Amino acid sequence: MTQTTTKYIFVTGGVSSSLGKGIIAASLAKLLQAQGYRVTIQKLDPYINIDPGTLNPYEHGECYVTDDGAETDLDLGHYERFLNVPTSQANNVTTGRIYQSVIDKERRGVFLGKTVQVIPHITDEIKERIKLLGLSGEYDIVITEIGGTVGDIESLPYVEAVRQLKWEMGNDNALAIHLTLIPYLSAAGELKTKPTQHSVKTLMESGVQADILVCRTEHELGQSIRTKLARFCNVKEECVIQSIDASTIYDVPNLMLEEQLDRVVLKQLNLERHQPDLTSWNTFLHKHKNPTHEVTIGLVGKYVELQDSYKSILEAFTHAGAANEVKVVVKSIHSEHLTPENTSKLLSGLNGVLVAPGFGERGIEGKIEAIRYVRENNIPFFGICLGMQMAVIEFARTVLGLSDANSSEMNASTKNPVIDLMEDQKQIEHMGGTMRLGAWRCALSSPSIANDAYQKESIEERHRHRYEYNNLYKTQLEEKGMIATGINPDTGLVEIIEIPNHPWFLGVQYHPEYKSTVANPHPLFKAFIEAALKQKTSI
Ligand code: GLN
């Protein structure tokens, strides 16, 4: 069903942030993909950072990393989890990157003495980035999600670019979906359409007529509200789509199918509609909703109070749980609250512990304490990035007796930097995009937990860190029982550590969570949940 021209769908948001544009975009993409269309999604972020790599999780949630090493918005994680298609640098564009590129061109004399302005130079750059994915010929449909809310000063150049593209491409090649909120006023007992009328009007002031309204709501919309919205907002009644709160984000594609979002989209774009094949998606959903067992996993980190900080890890648990038909209850444990005195109490009853990635010193002693406890008490342990580094430090301190063992990130003058900066990282002064990023190869040794889980000798996983396992300590660590079972074949860097003399103890320098999708639950998460279930049934 390959298209000759790529069709574009723009998704804007109104009334409020956090309405879930990413989930709506991913759900629509899923429905189109399930009919045979080749779809990708792009996120345009109106902030001035070049990428979210320099933003802390309090600001912007998790930073998601692609195979080609882009540090991106967490919505790209949703796209990959829903579509099972990798995204890349081109799928996330920020205002910072747009301006950087325009300013570079200006310095190179590309604009030939012209005054460089928001319109046309910034908007042209935005349009170019939007069209780039289509030009690759790999996609029939590109969904472009505009971050922020219409009416924001930052969003204006993006909305203007959408206006121009809609005009240039014509109605059957480009359409605009506006995601909005229909609040329920409990005092009046009514759903209210006025905020939506205003946000559609704001969009129109910039020359963009929404073709489809997707309305987030806590209550069923009802016919009269749909009619009213259609009339006031200049859309067809069939184009008023209800998006009612769901118990899981993975319900949204089916909800959008019921509302026939795919049908109205394909109709306007003049594309054929087929019955979407959601068989494997629905098998996953069925398993997710009908678990036969339950395990409780402790997630030890310093951002545990924030829902979005460990998004990919939590979703990877959902995928792995469904694969095992196990409900995974995640108990958040703040690493700063863990002390030698309270750790056994706070971790008691857990069937497994995952120590999260992170940066900087805050909370690391709590992470080390948690690792000591699970190592000594045979509780399954999964360490990711900083979590793996802390496992090496804990082992070096407790088992090798190197009491000052540390990472040079936390203590630059430690005598025993079991985790250290690589030579090529020592010269780096700039913060953005300079870590070890993206997919790197890793050879697995056998027998090992990793080899058992992946059923492969060689894997590729995504990285985002500066510090590394220090190979000077490898012999000592291995002699005492912490084995390196995954090595980068090109650099010799240790990527995986395990303790064979423990039911399930594994740390990875990379981020497996980024590659877990509904169609492909991550093998290590699956194996970890299996081990947690074993732990539970053995006590
Ligand atoms: N702070 C550590 C490093 O830079 C770990 C990073 C992470 O957990 N992503 O190496």
Side-chain angles (χ1 to χ4, degrees), residues 357-360 384-386 389 409 464-467 509 511:
F359 293 84
I384 297 184
C385 210
L386 185 68
Q389 298 176 351
E409 178 181 6
R464 181 173 186 253
H465 57 101
R466 264 181 231 291
Y467 294 82
Q509 185 55 81
H511 290 265

Side-chain angles (χ1 to χ4, degrees), residues 102-329:
V102 170
I103 291 167
D104 279 354
K105 285 182 186 163
E106 187 272 337
R107 292 289 83 182
R108 279 187 277 121
V110 173
F111 301 119
L112 301 170
K114 287 275 182 214
T115 308
V116 181
Q117 294 180 296
V118 173
I119 303 172
H121 301 99
I122 295 298
T123 46
D124 277 354
E125 185 77 26
I126 295 172
K127 285 162 69 183
E128 220 172 273
R129 301 292 176 124
I130 292 173
K131 288 193 280 191
L132 198 63
L133 283 165
L135 290 176
S136 72
E138 285 172 48
Y139 305 106
D140 304 313
I141 301 167
V142 176
I143 302 180
T144 298
E145 178 194 342
I146 317 285
T149 309
V150 295
D152 293 350
I153 292 175
E154 288 96 335
S155 302
L156 283 173
Y158 293 96
V159 176
E160 168 61 14
V162 170
R163 183 193 70 77
Q164 293 182 20
L165 285 173
K166 276 195 85 190
W167 176 250
E168 287 163 23
M169 292 174 174
N171 268 346
D172 55 357
N173 287 319
L175 72 79
I177 296 179
H178 189 55
L179 176 63
T180 171
L181 174 71
I182 310 292
Y184 179 76
L185 287 192
S186 44
E190 269 181 57
L191 287 165
K192 292 293 183 189
T193 64
K194 194 73 81 189
T196 297
Q197 295 178 39
H198 281 290
S199 86
V200 169
K201 193 171 139 196
T202 306
L203 200 54
M204 280 181 98
E205 279 166 9
S206 302
V208 176
Q209 165 67 55
D211 300 294
I212 295 170
L213 296 180
V214 175
C215 307
R216 277 298 301 272
T217 174
E218 290 172 15
H219 299 273
E220 294 283 337
L221 285 188
Q223 197 49 50
S224 64
I225 295 270
R226 289 179 192 249
T227 309
K228 190 170 175 186
L229 280 165
R231 186 172 301 147
F232 280 112
C233 301
N234 256 358
V235 298
K236 294 189 191 110
E237 216 163 291
E238 62 179 13
C239 293
V240 177
I241 304 290
Q242 162 183 291
S243 170
I244 200 151
D245 288 359
S247 61
T248 154
I249 53 171
Y250 298 108
D251 272 337
V252 180
N254 282 311
L255 292 174
M256 290 303 105
L257 181 64
E258 272 168 37
E259 285 285 307
Q260 309 199 10
L261 174 62
D262 61 313
R263 196 179 60 80
V264 291
V265 162
L266 291 169
K267 190 166 138 192
Q268 175 166 338
L269 294 178
N270 228 342
L271 294 174
E272 254 177 80
R273 182 175 184 279
H274 307 267
Q275 193 50 36
D277 179 4
L278 292 172
T279 319
S280 61
W281 184 270
N282 287 334
T283 306
F284 153 79
L285 258 183
H286 181 79
K287 287 192 194 168
H288 172 55
K289 290 184 172 180
N290 298 283
T292 50
H293 295 88
E294 181 175 308
V295 295
T296 307
I297 303 292
L299 172 62
V300 179
K302 63 175 171 178
Y303 300 113
V304 284
E305 69 279 25
L306 302 170
Q307 257 198 47
D308 281 351
S309 315
Y310 303 115
K311 195 84 198 159
S312 295
I313 291 177
L314 297 175
E315 298 306 330
F317 277 139
T318 303
H319 310 150
N324 283 294
E325 294 181 44
V326 169
K327 177 173 182 189
V328 181
V329 177

